[in-house]
Amino acid sequence: MNELYLGQYAFALYALIILAGGVLAVAAANLVRAMIGLVVALFGVAGLYLLLLAEFVALMQILIYVGAVTVLIFFAIMLTRAADGAEAEGPGGAGVLRAIPVFLVPAGILVPFLAVYGTTGFPTPKNIGPEQLGAGLLGPYTLAFELISVVLLAAMAGAVLLAFEKRRAG
Amino acid sequence: MNNPLLLYQVVAVLLLCLGLYALVARRTLIGMLIGVELMLNGAGLSIVAAAQLTPMDAVLGQLGALLVMGLAAAEATLVLAIVLVVTKRFGDAAADGPSELKG
């Protein structure tokens, strides 16, 4: 009973961190500040993964998202800021007006749907070790594993090709 | 609250909505990419919560979240290359330059 209360407090804390980081990522006028907000939200999601006893996924969240994807986006910001500070504008006036219904419609549809028809889960999650994940990757889910590696290879090759194309044309 | 799965799903929907908002409201391609990353995180959180808290195969759920992360990494590299090309061709990374049609 006591641990359940502790888990609820931890969940509230992580949800608050995700909310604060997400709002900063969405609303900040400066793109670097938006990136900081995204990093905070990603760490909050990693905390929720830990709370769900999916510690390998939490580790990969920090390693891949916070370590790799964020650095990529920082590179993109740095490479485009050289052009006379054109990145500085935040969300625009008409864009915000268009974005508010986009925000509200999925929330208004999905949350009541979940509240009415959502399934109830166990109060405590199951723990799955990395060795079981590895057995799954080499056993029943081999095709997905191979496909994601092909997709990653194609994306990297395409990115390199695009960047070189630019160099030759310019 | 005695339905923890609902709370996790609500947080995931919140991330989806924030990402959609950023996708529409931002003017630069990088701001839109940040929105897409938020949405993908909501998807991963929803998958893992559904797999861990119901009788579903938990290995499948965690591997699904890992695949979503791999797709996000691939998508981020491609968007980085596209941003480089757009910056080279239009001068900055604003989204309204490439969206104009040229006759």
Side-chain angles (χ1 to χ4, degrees), chain A residues 26 28 42 52 61 122 126, chain B residues 21 26 41 52-54 91:
Chain A
V26 165
L42 294 180
L52 282 167
Q61 166 93 1
F122 307 135
K126 318 177 264 280
Chain B
Y21 179 89
R26 285 275 180 196
N41 258 278
Q52 294 290 102
L53 296 176
T54 57

Side-chain angles (χ1 to χ4, degrees), chain A residues 11 25-26 28 42 49 52 57 61 65 72 76 80 83 86 89 92 96 99 103 114 121-122 125-126 128 133 141 166, chain B residues 8 17-18 21 26-27 30 37 41 44-45 51-54 57-58 62-63 69 72 77 80 83 87-88 91-92:
Chain A
F11 180 88
V26 165
L42 294 180
Y49 285 152
L52 282 167
V57 182
Q61 166 93 1
Y65 266 118
L72 263 181
T80 57
E89 68 258 42
V96 171
F103 186 137
L114 279 175
F122 307 135
K126 318 177 264 280
I128 296 289
L133 291 180
Y141 308 117
K166 177 216 79 172
Chain B
Y8 284 104
C17 292
L18 282 171
Y21 179 89
R26 285 275 180 196
R27 288 198 195 123
I30 301 169
E37 297 296 335
N41 258 278
L45 179 62
Q52 294 290 102
L53 296 176
T54 57
D57 183 12
Q62 298 200 15
L63 288 182
M69 279 180 209
T77 47
L80 173 64
V83 164
T87 307
K88 180 78 181 173
D92 59 7

Side-chain angles (χ1 to χ4, degrees), chain A residues 26-54:
Chain A
V26 165
N30 189 340
L31 272 184
V32 178
R33 286 205 187 124
M35 280 305 306
I36 303 292
L38 180 64
V39 170
V40 170
L42 294 180
F43 269 117
V45 173
L48 281 188
Y49 285 152
L50 281 183
L51 213 55
L52 282 167
L53 282 190

Side-chain angles (χ1 to χ4, degrees), chain A residues 148-163:
Chain A
I148 194 73
S149 19
V150 170
V151 166
L152 260 175
L153 178 68
M156 302 284 166
V160 170
L161 204 71
L162 268 177

Side-chain angles (χ1 to χ4, degrees), chain A:
Chain A
M1 201 62 189
N2 221 347
E3 289 105 13
L4 210 55
Y5 281 132
L6 265 183
Q8 284 171 352
Y9 289 138
F11 180 88
L13 177 69
Y14 289 137
L16 206 67
I17 288 174
I18 290 174
L19 181 65
V23 167
L24 183 62
V26 165
N30 189 340
L31 272 184
V32 178
R33 286 205 187 124
M35 280 305 306
I36 303 292
L38 180 64
V39 170
V40 170
L42 294 180
F43 269 117
V45 173
L48 281 188
Y49 285 152
L50 281 183
L51 213 55
L52 282 167
L53 282 190
E55 64 266 340
F56 185 70
V57 182
L59 193 67
M60 285 301 122
Q61 166 93 1
I62 292 175
L63 208 69
I64 296 177
Y65 266 118
V66 183
V69 175
T70 306
V71 171
L72 263 181
I73 302 178
F74 264 122
F75 264 110
I77 293 175
M78 275 166 26
L79 288 173
T80 57
R81 186 151 62 167
D84 56 23
E87 113 282 359
E89 68 258 42
V96 171
L97 284 186
R98 266 180 283 140
I100 286 173
V102 174
F103 186 137
L104 287 181
V105 165
I109 292 175
L110 286 178
V111 174
F113 189 82
L114 279 175
V116 176
Y117 297 107
T119 53
T120 53
F122 307 135
T124 49
K126 318 177 264 280
N127 194 356
I128 296 289
E131 65 279 355
Q132 280 161 289
L133 291 180
L137 275 182
L138 292 180
Y141 308 117
T142 313
L143 183 63
F145 183 51
E146 299 292 335
L147 277 182
I148 194 73
S149 19
V150 170
V151 166
L152 260 175
L153 178 68
M156 302 284 166
V160 170
L161 204 71
L162 268 177
F164 273 132
E165 182 94 23
K166 177 216 79 172
R167 189 69 49 85
R168 231 188 296 135

